[in-house]
Amino acid sequence: MTFLFNTGRTSAQGTGLEHKSGPEYREATSVCRMNPVDLMQLEIEAGERIRAAGPGGVVVLRVAASDDIPQGTVFVPLGPYANAVVGAETHGTGMPDYKSVEVEIEPTDDPVPTIDQLMEAVGGLAYLEEER
C-alpha cells in the first residue's frame, strides 16, 4: 500500500541524541506510527514489522498504532531509519524531503536492522561511543 511518509523530532528520539549507538535511540527511531485503520488494512498489529520502500531505499520498522496519525500517512522519528527511506534529493534547498514522501509499505517478518547495519549498508561506519 502507498502511504505519505512524514518525519519529525520526538522527545524520545531527542533524548537519545548523545548516544546514537544505544538501545534507547534505536527503539525511539525504528518505529513507524500508523493509524489503526491502516494497520487493519495491512492485516498487522502494533509491535509487528513492516518494510517501507521510498526514494532513498528500504528499511524494516516496528509499527505502533496511533489515533493521532491520519489514515494514509505514517510518521517515523528523524534518524537513521527515516534517512534510509527518504531520498537525498534536495531540490536545491540543501534539505531532503522529510515530509509527505510517497512510500510503499508491506508487512514483513524480517528483523529490524541495527543502526550499525544501516550505516554499513550505505558504506558508512558504525557510530562510535565516546569514552566516559
Side-chain angles (χ1 to χ4, degrees), residues 55-113:
V58 178
V59 72
V60 175
L61 302 161
R62 290 176 299 105
V63 294
S66 176
D67 291 323
D68 295 333
I69 305 297
Q71 282 183 251
T73 66
V74 299
F75 177 85
V76 176
L78 280 171
Y81 295 90
N83 290 344
V85 176
V86 174
E89 177 59 50
T90 66
H91 313 286
T93 67
M95 186 70 149
D97 293 328
Y98 285 114
K99 305 287 186 211
S100 299
V101 174
E102 283 194 2
V103 296
E104 291 296 320
I105 291 182
E106 63 184 13
T108 185
D109 290 327
D110 293 345
V112 175

Side-chain angles (χ1 to χ4, degrees), residues 2-127:
T2 302
F3 291 87
L4 292 179
F5 186 90
N6 291 299
T7 65
R9 298 253 183 241
T10 66
S11 59
Q13 169 262 340
T15 59
L17 286 176
E18 291 183 24
H19 304 287
K20 289 186 178 181
S21 63
E24 295 87 7
Y25 187 75
R26 177 182 181 210
E27 289 297 312
T29 58
S30 65
V31 63
C32 177
R33 291 177 178 85
M34 301 179 75
N35 186 283
V37 173
D38 291 329
L39 289 176
M40 286 189 302
Q41 289 177 341
L42 287 169
E43 298 180 358
I44 58 174
E45 295 183 20
E48 294 184 335
R49 295 176 303 278
I50 53 98
R51 179 180 295 113
V58 178
V59 72
V60 175
L61 302 161
R62 290 176 299 105
V63 294
S66 176
D67 291 323
D68 295 333
I69 305 297
Q71 282 183 251
T73 66
V74 299
F75 177 85
V76 176
L78 280 171
Y81 295 90
N83 290 344
V85 176
V86 174
E89 177 59 50
T90 66
H91 313 286
T93 67
M95 186 70 149
D97 293 328
Y98 285 114
K99 305 287 186 211
S100 299
V101 174
E102 283 194 2
V103 296
E104 291 296 320
I105 291 182
E106 63 184 13
T108 185
D109 290 327
D110 293 345
V112 175
T114 66
I115 294 173
D116 290 349
Q117 290 168 331
L118 285 177
M119 296 295 105
E120 290 170 1
V122 295
L125 299 174
Y127 289 133

